[in-house]
């Protein structure tokens, strides 16, 4: 009895009250009719038995499962052991639900407002939220047979998840279309204007331009700024005017973006993916996914992309999609009021974000799965798939670029590659990994410097200075002057007749009847282009290091794609000329000897882009799928895979984290990475709070007054308190959250008569408590009677695993059945940091 | 503020409908674009030239090729050499929607200008106005930073029975205050304490 106090009572109840525990429906009808109206003794014991069942099923303790067996044997005729076990677990989980029915009388009506919500910068308790949802769901299913209206409500509840992701997909597609069109128009505004129809960008302005001579895409409808001011087109004067206009517009856009962000929604700055990752792992940042963040991020994104800074709109698109997901989830209380369920919608929204950013629906789903999501059940996978599909479809119908695709740099390839080329592809992967590591290290150094030094106090000035520097350095080089997406498109595409850039200055012989464009000698133009590209690579690398992390909406995909594409194209041109000059060496295995072009520099650009992006973000599967969807060529999967893998290996060897994880670490977000392994031999007792010589702050189940609790709440800052039987026998009853306690006491003081400082707070059914003074305050409703408990000898490896896999917020540590202490997620994170020789105080939040 | 937005959006909608009706006809939404090397570089092999020829015409997608677009125009000059010239040409059929582009760009301009005006208002006029109000009433205690959608729970203090109009204004003002507090909090997190988004 001393050793297993809880087990003792539960076995006896389970065997002595078979009627109570035989079927679930009995439980429910009892619960629904009179909340706590069962005889106090049995009721209490029954609930306690369910507590044991829950912990039993989770820690899979044999004794505990035995108890379950008692309860289930009466109504299951399990034929084989597996079936029986699964039924048992199932049943155990529904017992948890029953316990939670003690938490809330009915699914929908919460009599204390705000219960179940969380405060800003807190981690959520997945188990509790999922149990709440299960409870709500069961309530709806039960009510379904009552009336037609309830049936409709039930049906609405069932499809609301799909409806929500449908809406999210629709609006994400529209938002992406607006951003794409706005950004492409505003980007060209730096160069000139279309006087007849000011809303068209350069390409659209020259859309119907029907003159047969052709110089670099210029047409008479489009007026560059010197032309607007009646200057000639070429010469030193117009060049200076263009230069000035370019810089001035860039400065205007960047300053608008930075000040809008600062004024209306500071959370709109940055890429947002580290934060989304943290939020999806179960963290609350109020306002991070709000309406204003959505508006300002969209507008600011248009402005900052058009300012010509080295940033992209793809990462922020994920944030925008998640904002839309969050806003629409409030239409459906099932998701809006339950943080764990809301994260399912957010996962789907993240998929839609990538889907519209790259026109890659499957890549988006995989991105959500691989990179951002923490909890990703199959149901969410299907919803993400649907959401990504809808978003891609909407964006495709808007057709923002007039090329029938959702991205500017869509290219279509159908060229074979020869086996030997895998060697340069892997080389590209290695170089990509190196460039990515340089970028991550330098960017992190700069961001840390910004965080700790005086530089951080001048966010808008910083943006302006970087913009001016970027504009002034970029303009002279045509490859940095143009929009980064256009540059990527140029680098990805093949040299054909339609490509007039100096990059395609080959000595082609047009007279040959052979329709394939044959391999040709490079003219001086190509070499000039290569030098300009090398300069552009260095410049872009340096500027991106300073840009990423500034206080404007800025993403990272496009700059890293661009770095890789430049690198790849240079290598590709080198290979091509090698093949042209020495077509007969063994490595080309006779395939280049016929004069057709066996080497495609554009393909190298693509592989290089994948390599750098893979090195920066450490994506693999999703990256390859995104790249493959960008090119529509299945045959390039192997080169892309080789490059992505090589880049990931090199990146992992040189620096252990990807940029997003590094930024999570820099900001100290409470993110428990499921990729890392915990390899230390510490025990739960070493980590738990309180440490030696400190007191554990607990509540007793029926002997504390309101004043006692108030002082406890004032004196401590813990976010929850364990409830024990009494000070003398410290057996655990349950766990109550600080916020719930505060709300419940405030609510009781407002609503109930006669509650004073001397009222007892009672967490039991309380019928046997004899009170003489003021009426007691019954708070059984807010008590979590199924907290996850472990013993003090549990290895931390297991504890960390439990935190990751179950999404716990805290766990209670017991010894011999008595409560010893608490381990919170923050304790775990700090412990991990400490063992990794990092500063544990960098974990900032609760 | 909410009502103001509603009116703006409504007026704006009318404006848009008006715009889209009077759309410029000179910009087609469909084109077939062909790019070819210059005729001399194909016919006359001794003069390699990098000039390109550009043809745009409004034909159906099925005839968007060399025969449908280029031969009617250059038929005489490349007579007999079609077999050489045509494979060198690059024809692409494209379509777009200028109405959407126009509407989107105008919306973007509007939104940016509204935001800028509101920002200027908040920077310049609002401190002055607030000073007056605060002198008069002296209200505005600290309210908890709660869930955005919990409007129902956080308005017990401000619902004075002051008539419908006053109530609406109060509510709007209250919402605005709440929002401003949130932004201030965000700003403190990011720009002053540097705890987030670095």
């Amino acid at each position: 009895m001393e050793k297993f106090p809880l087990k003792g009572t539960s076995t006896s109840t389970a065997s002595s009250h078979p009627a109570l525990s035989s079927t679930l429906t009995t439980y429910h009808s009892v619960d629904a009719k009179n909340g706590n109206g069962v005889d106090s003794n049995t009721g209490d014991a029954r609930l306690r038995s369910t507590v044991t069942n829950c912990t039993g099923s989770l820690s899979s303790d044999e004794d505990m499962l035995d108890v379950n067996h008692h309860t289930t044997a009466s109504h299951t005729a399990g034929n084989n052991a597996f079936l029986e076990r699964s039924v048992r677990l199932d049943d155990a989980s529904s017992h948890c639900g029953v316990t939670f029915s003690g938490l809330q009388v009915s699914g929908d009506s919460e009599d204390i407002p705000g219960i179940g919500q969380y405060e800003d910068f807190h981690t959520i308790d997945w188990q509790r939220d999922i149990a709440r949802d299960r409870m709500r769901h069961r309530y709806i299913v039960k009510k379904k047979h009552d009336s037609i209206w309830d049936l409709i409500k039930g049906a609405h509840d069932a499809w609301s998840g799909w409806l929500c992701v449908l809406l999210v997909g629709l609006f994400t597609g529209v938002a992406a279309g607006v951003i794409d069109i706005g950004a492409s128009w505003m980007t060209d505004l730096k160069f000139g204007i279309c006087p007849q129809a000011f809303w068209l960008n350069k390409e659209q302005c020259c859309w119907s331009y029907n003159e047969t001579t052709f110089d670099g895409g210029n047409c008479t409808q489009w007026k560059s700024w010197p032309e607007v001011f009646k200057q000639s087109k070429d010469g030193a004067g117009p060049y200076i005017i263009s230069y000035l206009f370019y810089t001035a517009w860039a400065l205007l856009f960047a300053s608008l973006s930075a000040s809008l962000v600062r004024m209306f929604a500071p959370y709109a700055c940055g890429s947002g993916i580290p934060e989304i990752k943290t939020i999806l792992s179960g963290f609350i940042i109020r306002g991070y996914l709000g309406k204003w963040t959505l508006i300002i991020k969209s507008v600011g994104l248009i402005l900052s992309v058009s300012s010509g800074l080295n940033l992209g709109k793809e990462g922020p698109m994920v944030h925008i999609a998640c904002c839309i997901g969050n806003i629409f989830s409030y239409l459906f209380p099932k998701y809006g009021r339950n943080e764990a369920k809301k994260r399912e919608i957010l996962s789907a929204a993240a998929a839609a974000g990538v889907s519209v950013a790259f026109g890659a629906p499957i890549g988006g789903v995989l991105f959500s799965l691989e990179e951002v999501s923490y909890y990703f059940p199959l149901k969410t996978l299907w919803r993400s798939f649907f959401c990504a599909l809808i978003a891609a479809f909407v964006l495709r119908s808007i057709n923002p670029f007039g090329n029938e695709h959702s991205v500017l740099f869509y290219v279509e390839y159908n060229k074979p590659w020869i086996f030997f080329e895998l060697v340069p592809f892997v080389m590209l992967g290695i170089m990509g990994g190196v460039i990515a590591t340089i970028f991550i290290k330098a960017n992190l150094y700069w961001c840390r410097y910004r965080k700790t030094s005086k530089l951080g106090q001048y966010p808008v000035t910083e943006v302006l200075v970087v913009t001016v520097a970027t504009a002034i350095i970029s303009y002279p080089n045509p490859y940095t002057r143009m929009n980064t997406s256009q540059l990527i498109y140029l680098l990805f595409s093949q040299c054909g007749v339609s490509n007039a850039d100096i990059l395609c200055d080959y000595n082609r012989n047009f007279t040959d009847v052979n329709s394939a464009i044959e391999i040709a000698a490079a003219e001086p133009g190509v070499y000039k282009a290569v030098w300009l590209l090398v300069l552009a690579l260095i410049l872009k690398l340096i500027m991106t290091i300073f840009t990423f992390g500034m206080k404007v909406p800025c993403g990272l995909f496009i700059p890293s794609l661009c770095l890789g594409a430049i690198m790849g194209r240079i290598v590709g041109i080198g290979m091509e000329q090698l093949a042209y000059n020495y077509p007969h060496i063994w490595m080309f295995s006779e395939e280049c000897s016929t004069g057709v072009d066996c080497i495609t520099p554009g393909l190298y650009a693509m592989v290089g882009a994948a390599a750098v992006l893979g090195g920066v973000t450490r994506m693999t599967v999703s990256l390859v799928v995104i790249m493959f969807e960008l090119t529509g060529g299945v045959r390039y999967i192997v080169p892309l895979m080789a490059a992505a893998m090589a880049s990931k290996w090199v990146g992992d060897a040189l620096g252990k984290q990807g940029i997003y994880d590094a930024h999570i670490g820099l900001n100290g977000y409470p993110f428990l990475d499921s990729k890392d392994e915990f390899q230390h031999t510490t025990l739960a007792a070493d980590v738990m709070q309180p440490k030696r010589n400190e007191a554990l702050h607990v509540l007793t189940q029926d002997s504390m007054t309101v004043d006692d609790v108030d002082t406890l709440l004032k004196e401590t800052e813990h976010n929850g308190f364990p409830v024990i039987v009494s000070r003398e026998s410290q057996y655990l009853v349950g766990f109550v959250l600080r916020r719930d306690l505060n709300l419940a006491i405030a609510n009781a003081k407002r609503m109930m008569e006669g509650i004073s400082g001397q009222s007892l707070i009672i967490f039991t059914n309380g019928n046997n408590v004899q009170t003489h003074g003021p009426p007691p305050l019954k708070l059984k409703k807010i008590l979590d009677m199924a907290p996850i408990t472990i013993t003090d000898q549990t290895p931390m490896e297991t504890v960390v695993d439990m935190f990751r896999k179950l999404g716990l917020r805290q766990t209670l540590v017991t010894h011999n059945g008595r409560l010893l202490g608490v381990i919170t997620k923050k304790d775990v994170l700090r412990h991990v940091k400490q063992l990794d020789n990092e500063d544990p105080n960098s974990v900032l939040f609760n | 503020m909410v009502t103001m937005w509603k009116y703006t959006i409504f007026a704006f909608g009318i404006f848009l409908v008006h715009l889209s009706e009077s759309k410029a006809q000179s910009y087609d939404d469909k084109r077939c674009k062909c790019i070819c090397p210059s005729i001399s570089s194909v016919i006359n092999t001794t003069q390699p030239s990098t000039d390109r020829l550009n043809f745009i015409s409004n034909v159906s997608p099925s005839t968007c090729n060399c025969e449908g677009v280029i031969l009617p125009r250059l038929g005489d000059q490349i007579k007999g050499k079609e077999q050489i010239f045509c494979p060198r040409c690059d024809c692409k059929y494209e379509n777009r929607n200028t109405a959407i582009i126009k509407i989107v760009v105008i919306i973007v301009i509007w939104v940016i200008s509204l935001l800028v005006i509101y920002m200027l208002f908040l920077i310049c006029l609002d401190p002055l106005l607030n000073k007056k109000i605060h002198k008069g009433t002296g209200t505005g205690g600290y309210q908890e930073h709660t869930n955005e959608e919990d409007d129902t729970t956080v308005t017990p203090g401000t619902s004075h029975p002051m008539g419908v109009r006053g109530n609406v204004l109060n509510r709007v003002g209250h919402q605005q205050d709440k929002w401003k507090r949130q932004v201030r909090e965000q700003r403190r997190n990011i720009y002053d304490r540097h705890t987030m988004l670095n």
Side-chain angles (χ1 to χ4, degrees):
Chain A
M1 205 61 195
E2 178 59 37
K3 213 177 171 190
F4 298 110
L6 298 181
K7 192 200 160 207
T9 46
S10 60
T11 0
S12 62
T13 341
S15 49
S16 62
H17 296 278
L20 254 178
S21 49
S22 59
T23 52
L24 266 175
T25 40
T26 351
Y27 272 14
H28 271 292
S29 47
V30 169
D31 260 15
K33 274 175 201 150
N34 41 2
N36 298 320
V38 210
D39 163 355
S40 76
N41 254 335
T42 45
D44 203 2
R46 172 174 63 82
L47 278 161
R48 220 179 279 168
S49 88
T50 59
V51 172
T52 339
N53 287 347
C54 288
T55 42
S57 74
L58 291 164
S59 57
S60 69
D61 187 77
E62 276 310 315
D63 286 334
M64 302 295 187
L65 277 176
D66 222 355
V67 180
N68 269 332
H69 193 72
H70 267 284
T71 54
T72 47
S74 52
H75 64 101
T76 51
N79 286 335
N80 60 44
F82 176 73
L83 183 75
E84 199 170 314
R85 187 186 160 79
S86 68
V87 170
R88 250 189 260 153
L89 284 177
D90 208 0
D91 202 62
S93 66
S94 44
H95 278 289
C96 284
V98 174
T99 315
F100 277 95
S101 73
L103 267 179
Q104 283 168 10
V105 181
S106 59
D108 272 348
S109 61
E110 298 171 5
D111 44 1
I112 305 171
I115 295 273
Q117 306 283 331
Y118 297 89
E119 278 173 59
D120 210 0
F121 302 130
H122 279 226
T123 37
I124 69 167
D125 192 334
W126 291 84
Q127 291 301 309
R128 186 164 173 261
D129 279 0
I130 289 171
R132 265 179 60 216
D133 182 68
R134 211 180 294 127
M135 195 53 226
R136 192 199 53 79
H137 181 70
R138 204 168 295 137
Y139 174 78
I140 285 176
V141 170
K142 190 157 63 69
K143 286 266 286 184
K144 213 157 129 180
H145 306 291
D146 291 0
S147 68
I148 300 270
W149 178 238
D150 284 323
L151 191 69
I152 294 171
K153 261 205 219 157
H156 175 68
D157 184 71
W159 80 313
S160 62
W162 292 99
L163 183 65
C164 189
V165 294
L166 170 75
L167 291 172
V168 172
L170 284 175
F171 277 79
T172 306
V174 171
V178 169
I179 290 168
D180 283 343
I181 292 174
S184 70
W185 171 71
M186 232 179 246
T187 306
D188 281 358
L189 205 58
K190 292 206 301 280
F191 300 102
I193 198 166
C194 191
Q196 292 167 14
F198 71 92
W199 55 87
L200 296 179
N201 64 12
K202 187 173 174 185
E203 203 205 324
Q204 305 290 339
C205 189
C206 300
W207 173 272
S208 328
Y209 174 68
N210 203 358
E211 288 167 39
T212 43
T213 49
F214 188 78
D215 67 329
N218 272 336
C219 65
T220 47
Q221 279 106 318
W222 177 259
K223 298 266 186 261
S224 62
W225 290 113
E227 286 177 278
V228 174
F229 295 100
K230 308 284 176 249
Q231 296 270 333
S232 63
K233 228 172 169 179
D234 303 307
Y239 186 80
I240 291 169
I241 291 178
S242 305
Y243 207 149
L244 284 179
F245 263 96
Y246 182 88
T247 318
W249 280 113
L251 198 58
L252 175 70
F253 294 150
S255 62
L256 266 182
S257 177
S259 44
L260 284 178
V261 164
R262 191 189 156 83
M263 192 68 211
F264 294 117
Y267 280 175
C269 67
S271 120
I273 292 182
E275 285 75 23
I276 299 285
K277 259 184 104 159
T278 316
I279 287 175
L280 284 176
S281 80
F283 189 54
I284 305 277
I285 307 178
R286 290 245 171 275
Y288 194 73
L289 301 173
K291 297 182 269 297
W292 275 98
T293 313
L294 171 66
I295 297 173
I296 296 301
K297 190 128 195 173
S298 314
V299 172
L301 190 56
I302 295 176
L303 287 165
S304 56
V305 166
S306 355
S307 70
L309 285 165
N310 283 301
L311 45 85
K313 58 186 164 45
E314 275 66 14
M317 212 76 109
V318 176
H319 185 187
I320 287 170
C322 282
C323 289
I324 294 173
N326 180 50
I327 289 165
F328 276 106
S329 74
Y330 282 111
L331 290 183
F332 305 92
K334 180 181 177 181
Y335 296 101
R337 303 222 154 252
N338 193 324
E339 293 290 341
K341 294 291 282 176
K342 190 194 278 175
R343 272 149 186 76
E344 293 178 10
I345 301 289
L346 294 184
S347 287
V354 174
S355 160
V356 291
F358 291 108
I362 302 174
V365 175
L366 288 174
F367 176 81
S368 180
L369 174 67
E370 185 179 2
E371 190 64 28
V372 292
S373 291
Y374 195 77
Y375 169 72
F376 205 81
L378 268 184
K379 193 171 63 180
T380 311
L381 179 77
W382 296 322
R383 291 212 181 118
S384 306
F385 186 72
F386 179 63
C387 192
L389 159 84
I390 296 292
F393 171 74
V394 170
L395 184 61
R396 171 66 191 70
S397 338
I398 293 175
N399 194 8
F401 299 108
N403 62 353
E404 311 276 317
H405 296 286
S406 346
V407 270
L408 184 61
F409 43 86
Y410 181 91
V411 281
E412 206 153 10
Y413 266 132
N414 199 19
K415 290 257 177 187
W417 52 279
I418 47 182
F419 187 73
F420 177 78
E421 282 186 290
L422 269 183
V423 176
F425 291 151
V426 171
M427 290 293 295
L428 276 178
I430 293 168
M431 282 158 66
V434 172
I435 288 186
T437 313
I438 294 171
F439 172 74
I440 293 174
K441 292 240 154 106
N443 180 254
L444 219 65
Y445 175 79
W446 183 249
C447 285
R448 192 165 289 127
Y449 175 73
R450 183 192 290 124
K451 182 175 176 157
T452 50
S453 70
K454 283 194 103 173
L455 177 68
Q457 294 164 20
Y458 306 101
V460 181
T461 322
E462 189 198 353
V463 173
L464 297 187
V465 169
V466 172
T467 312
V468 170
T470 310
I472 288 179
I473 302 173
S474 299
Y475 191 81
N477 186 341
Y479 293 116
T480 47
R481 187 194 308 166
M482 66 170 72
N483 180 3
T484 315
S485 297
Q486 273 167 357
L487 176 58
I488 294 176
Y489 177 65
L490 181 68
L491 295 169
F492 276 8
S493 52
Q494 289 180 62
C495 281
V497 195
S498 55
N499 203 335
D501 195 83
I502 53 166
L503 198 56
C504 292
D505 183 18
Y506 289 96
N507 184 14
R508 302 235 190 261
N509 189 2
F510 287 122
T511 47
D512 198 335
V513 189
N514 185 0
S515 76
I517 293 171
E518 68 278 18
I519 193 159
E523 294 276 297
V526 177
Y527 295 114
K528 193 186 163 207
V530 167
W531 282 116
L532 287 176
L533 282 177
V534 170
L535 284 179
L537 178 70
I538 296 166
L539 181 77
K540 282 209 178 261
L541 180 62
I542 294 170
M543 293 319 289
T544 313
I545 288 168
F546 290 108
T547 309
F548 188 68
M550 283 198 316
K551 300 289 178 280
V552 286
C554 56
L556 186 74
F557 283 101
I558 291 284
S560 33
L561 278 177
C562 181
L563 291 178
I566 295 176
M567 176 187 82
R569 185 81 186 203
I570 295 170
V571 172
I573 291 174
M575 284 298 289
E576 185 195 41
Q577 290 310 306
L578 188 70
Y580 173 72
N581 290 321
Y582 308 98
H584 296 291
I585 40 179
W586 55 270
M587 57 189 185
F588 298 117
S589 60
E590 303 300 316
E591 289 187 50
C592 296
S593 48
T594 49
V596 294
D597 61 337
C598 50
I599 306 281
T600 321
L603 178 61
Y604 283 77
M606 204 139 35
V607 172
V612 173
L613 186 54
V616 170
T617 59
R618 302 290 150 81
M619 296 193 284
T620 48
V621 184
S622 44
L623 174 73
V624 170
V625 174
I626 287 174
M627 294 307 289
F628 141 66
E629 284 184 274
L630 272 180
T631 56
V634 190
R635 62 169 77 189
Y636 305 120
I637 285 182
V638 170
L640 290 170
M641 278 170 83
M645 210 60 243
S647 151
K648 187 178 162 60
W649 279 333
V650 172
D652 283 345
L654 293 178
K656 51 180 208 293
Q657 290 169 314
I659 188 97
Y660 299 131
D661 291 332
H663 273 256
I664 286 176
L666 173 70
N667 285 306
Y669 297 135
F671 182 73
L672 202 53
D673 201 342
S674 49
K675 290 195 283 286
D676 297 340
E677 283 166 39
F678 187 85
Q679 289 166 329
H680 307 280
T681 52
T682 43
L683 295 178
D686 305 331
V687 184
M688 94 192 173
Q689 299 282 353
K691 296 270 181 265
R692 277 176 200 87
N693 309 325
E694 287 171 49
L696 172 65
H697 299 283
V698 290
L699 301 169
T700 53
Q701 66 173 352
D702 53 7
S703 58
M704 285 179 92
T705 61
V706 173
D707 278 348
D708 291 342
V709 175
D710 274 343
T711 24
L712 183 67
L713 286 173
K714 272 198 200 84
E715 282 171 1
T716 61
E717 292 193 329
H718 303 301
N719 290 311
F721 301 95
V723 179
I724 55 174
V725 173
S726 68
R727 295 268 173 210
E728 292 77 43
S729 61
Q730 299 207 327
Y731 293 125
L732 183 66
V733 176
F735 192 82
V736 65
L737 293 176
R738 180 197 191 89
R739 184 187 150 92
D740 291 357
L741 198 58
N742 265 328
L743 283 170
I745 291 176
N747 189 56
K749 278 181 178 164
R750 211 170 55 233
M751 311 293 283
M752 282 167 64
E753 295 291 319
I755 295 289
S756 71
Q758 268 67 49
S759 303
L760 282 179
I761 291 189
I762 293 179
F763 290 104
T764 56
N765 282 324
N767 290 355
N768 51 353
V769 180
Q770 305 301 319
T771 49
H772 305 291
L777 173 55
K778 289 183 189 172
L779 292 182
K780 188 157 181 270
K781 242 175 274 177
I782 61 163
L783 180 67
D784 177 2
M785 301 194 69
I788 307 287
T789 53
I790 54 171
T791 66
D792 57 342
Q793 295 302 309
T794 315
M796 269 316 277
E797 209 177 335
T798 316
V799 179
V800 170
D801 236 27
M802 282 171 73
F803 270 89
R804 271 183 205 144
K805 290 185 178 150
L806 300 176
L808 301 183
R809 178 181 160 130
Q810 73 277 315
T811 171
L812 302 174
V813 185
T814 57
H815 178 72
N816 287 353
R818 291 164 195 270
L819 180 69
L820 265 192
V822 183
I823 297 180
T824 61
K825 192 168 177 183
K826 189 180 183 180
D827 295 330
V828 174
L829 284 161
R830 290 168 67 114
H831 182 67
V832 171
K833 286 236 171 190
Q834 206 167 15
L835 291 176
D836 292 347
N837 292 323
E838 287 168 39
D839 177 22
N841 289 324
S842 59
V843 181
L844 286 168
F845 298 120
N846 300 300
Chain B
M1 207 189 77
V2 177
T3 42
M4 189 189 88
W5 278 105
K6 265 183 195 160
Y7 279 117
T8 335
I9 288 166
F10 182 66
F12 186 52
I14 294 175
F15 174 68
L16 281 186
V17 171
H18 180 72
L19 260 184
S20 50
E21 276 168 2
S22 66
K23 82 172 180 193
Q25 287 304 315
S26 61
Y27 289 95
D28 290 329
D29 279 359
K30 291 176 171 50
R31 72 169 176 186
C32 174
K33 183 180 181 181
C34 290
I35 298 176
C36 301
S38 66
I39 300 171
S40 60
S41 67
V42 178
I43 311 275
N44 189 353
T45 46
T46 54
Q47 292 178 334
S49 153
T50 52
D51 289 341
R52 265 97 167 155
L53 297 175
N54 183 27
F55 303 94
I56 287 171
S57 67
N58 197 352
V59 294
S60 68
S62 56
T63 52
C64 180
N65 49 30
C66 189
E67 285 75 32
V69 178
I70 293 158
L71 292 186
R73 297 209 214 165
L74 294 181
D76 321 333
Q77 297 172 51
I78 56 170
K79 191 142 256 174
K81 299 252 187 180
E82 291 95 343
Q83 290 306 312
I84 303 171
F85 191 75
C86 271
R88 301 275 160 238
C89 289
D90 217 0
C91 284
K92 238 197 301 188
Y93 186 80
E94 291 173 322
N95 60 25
R96 62 169 181 178
N97 195 335
T98 36
I100 287 184
I101 293 175
K102 184 182 192 175
I103 291 171
V104 165
V105 167
I106 289 166
I107 287 178
V108 168
I109 294 173
W110 264 86
V111 169
I112 290 177
S113 16
L114 279 179
L115 284 172
V116 169
I117 290 167
Y118 189 43
M119 179 167 73
L120 293 178
F121 168 77
L122 283 181
I123 290 173
C124 307
L125 287 174
D126 210 43
L128 296 175
L129 286 175
N130 264 357
K131 221 183 256 172
K132 258 182 210 166
I133 292 170
H134 275 278
K135 260 182 196 164
T137 56
T139 52
Y142 178 75
Q143 208 111 33
E144 215 184 327
H145 194 90
T146 41
N147 203 348
E148 282 175 12
E149 305 298 313
D150 282 352
D151 294 344
T152 47
T153 59
V154 286
T155 45
T158 49
S159 55
H160 302 299
M162 275 175 56
V164 181
R165 236 191 124 67
N167 228 340
V168 167
L169 274 180
N170 250 4
R171 269 189 65 119
V172 170
H174 174 74
Q175 286 288 324
Q176 204 185 3
D177 280 353
K178 204 177 107 190
W179 169 69
K180 270 188 208 155
R181 245 191 330 269
Q182 287 177 1
V183 173
R184 220 172 297 137
E185 178 73 19
Q186 294 184 7
R187 231 174 272 154
R188 208 167 45 238
N189 281 338
I190 293 176
Y191 296 115
D192 301 339
R193 291 190 300 196
H194 299 286
T195 52
M196 282 186 69
L197 286 159
N198 287 290

